[in-house]
Amino acid sequence: MSKVSRRSILKGAAAAGAAGLIVRPAIGQAQWPSRPLTMVCPWGAGGGTDATARIVAQLLEKDLGQPVNVVNRTGGSGVVGHSAIATAAPDGYTIGMLTVEITMMHHQGLTDLKSTSYTALGLMNEDPPGVQVSASGPYKDIKGLAEAIKAAPPGKLKASGTGQGGIWHLALVGWLVAMGLKPDHVAWVPSNGAAPGMQDLAAGGVDIVTCSVPEARAMIDAGKAKSLAIMATARNPQFKDVPTLNETLGINYSVGAWRGIGGPKGLPADIQAKVTASLKKAFDSKEYQDFMNSRGFGMKFADGAGFAKFMADGDVAMAAAMKAAGLAKA
């Protein structure tokens, strides 16, 4: 064999070896995501949280290039689904919808899980409670209602909107305390949600319903109820005529139901960054904005760090409200 031929063979072998070295790491270090993702929803199909989870999953799927399958894991007042998210492998293939209940459940002794049990990825929604009254009632504005509440004997006025200790009950408790009143000054009538509470309001069974304005929208549109104020830092653009408590009463009190995306603790930083960027892209999209606007859902975004702080602040507020209402476990 000539020197030239031998040299050519050696060069070819070297090139093939180099190519092999290049290919092998690419196979061993597959880019995330390389397979479908699961998004856990702690609440049932058909509700607002489920609807929000599905539009977010649809938009993530479009951006990440892999299916994002929503799985409803219900039970235990949200404990089951939130546990499934917290205990998943921290590989980015199981994420989930975190809701306001994660700042409440551990204060009630239902679980040890709290906001710090997760890798926060992005806040996607917040719905503050409105203060709804009957359209045919005597209250023309929130000032008039506040004066009537203060003047009434404890327990005379009644409110509803959710079960005992639910987010809308705690919203009322926080507002009463902010006005210098006892947390039970207005009696709470438990209901199986905002819709039954609004029906009770229209029938004259209760005087006030504290729930999100979107949940009260049907009764408002039917002329049977009106919203006097919302417990938020700013007005909801979908209900721009409804003022905030701060605007009208000078009470800087805000609270609300919210939904965000999180994963188990220990999620790699590069995956965190990729999911958060994808969530921001989804939030800014016309599809998401149109979807949320069509339902009157509030839109609020925060990145991972912002969402973590948002949950921590909410945990403090919920602890105070639940303690005031006598619902916090020692």
Side-chain angles (χ1 to χ4, degrees):
M1 182 181 292
S2 69
K3 291 183 178 180
V4 173
S5 298
R6 186 180 294 112
R7 190 178 299 119
S8 298
I9 291 170
L10 291 173
K11 283 183 178 180
L21 290 174
I22 292 170
V23 170
R24 287 188 194 103
I27 294 172
Q29 299 174 7
Q31 288 291 314
W32 181 92
S34 61
R35 56 186 171 86
L37 281 68
T38 295
M39 180 181 288
V40 176
C41 177
W43 305 99
T49 302
D50 177 69
T52 304
R54 290 181 187 279
I55 185 63
V56 172
Q58 177 184 319
L59 295 169
L60 285 180
E61 183 173 307
K62 184 186 296 186
D63 188 52
L64 296 175
Q66 288 288 346
V68 180
N69 303 308
V70 176
V71 175
N72 299 91
R73 296 288 301 276
T74 61
S77 299
V79 172
V80 172
H82 282 94
S83 296
I85 302 166
T87 58
D91 57 9
Y93 288 100
T94 298
I95 57 177
M97 184 70 75
L98 305 181
T99 64
V100 64
E101 285 76 15
I102 201 60
T103 63
M104 300 163 60
M105 296 185 296
H106 66 99
H107 295 301
Q108 295 169 295
L110 298 176
T111 179
D112 291 331
L113 294 171
K114 53 188 69 174
S115 64
T116 53
S117 303
Y118 303 89
T119 298
L121 298 169
L123 175 66
M124 300 299 288
N125 152 262
E126 183 182 28
D127 286 315
V131 181
Q132 281 72 230
V133 297
S134 171
S136 60
Y139 312 115
K140 305 304 178 187
D141 55 34
I142 194 67
K143 287 183 179 179
L145 176 61
E147 289 168 1
I149 291 173
K150 291 177 181 178
K156 180 181 179 181
L157 295 178
K158 297 178 175 60
S160 188
T162 189
Q164 186 84 6
I167 182 60
W168 303 142
H169 178 204
L170 295 180
L172 174 70
V173 168
W175 179 37
L176 293 175
V177 171
M179 289 197 293
L181 300 171
K182 291 186 176 181
D184 59 352
H185 187 85
V186 173
W188 187 258
V189 179
S191 69
N192 289 323
M198 290 300 297
Q199 291 167 1
D200 205 6
L201 178 69
V206 296
D207 306 286
I208 307 163
V209 168
T210 47
C211 69
S212 69
V213 185
E215 291 175 304
R217 188 176 209 165
M219 286 292 185
I220 294 172
D221 289 347
K224 296 181 178 180
K226 57 186 176 182
S227 187
L228 301 181
I230 59 170
M231 303 180 192
T233 56
R235 296 191 184 200
N236 183 340
Q238 298 303 307
F239 306 99
K240 59 184 178 182
D241 294 331
V242 181
T244 68
L245 289 180
N246 198 27
E247 287 179 74
T248 50
L249 299 178
I251 295 176
N252 190 19
Y253 174 70
S254 63
V255 68
W258 50 260
R259 304 171 180 109
I261 303 298
K265 288 185 71 172
L267 208 60
D270 58 335
I271 294 177
Q272 291 183 47
K274 195 166 185 177
V275 176
T276 296
S278 193
L279 289 172
K280 182 63 166 69
K281 186 175 180 179
F283 182 87
D284 290 337
S285 71
K286 186 177 186 300
E287 295 99 316
Y288 186 78
Q289 301 282 322
D290 287 349
F291 180 91
M292 300 298 275
N293 282 333
S294 70
R295 288 158 177 76
F297 292 166
M299 287 176 283
K300 183 171 185 175
F301 183 81
D303 63 12
F307 183 29
K309 184 179 185 305
F310 177 88
M311 289 194 288
D313 291 344
D315 196 281
V316 172
M318 288 297 101
M322 297 182 83
K323 185 177 181 180
L327 298 168
K329 301 291 184 182

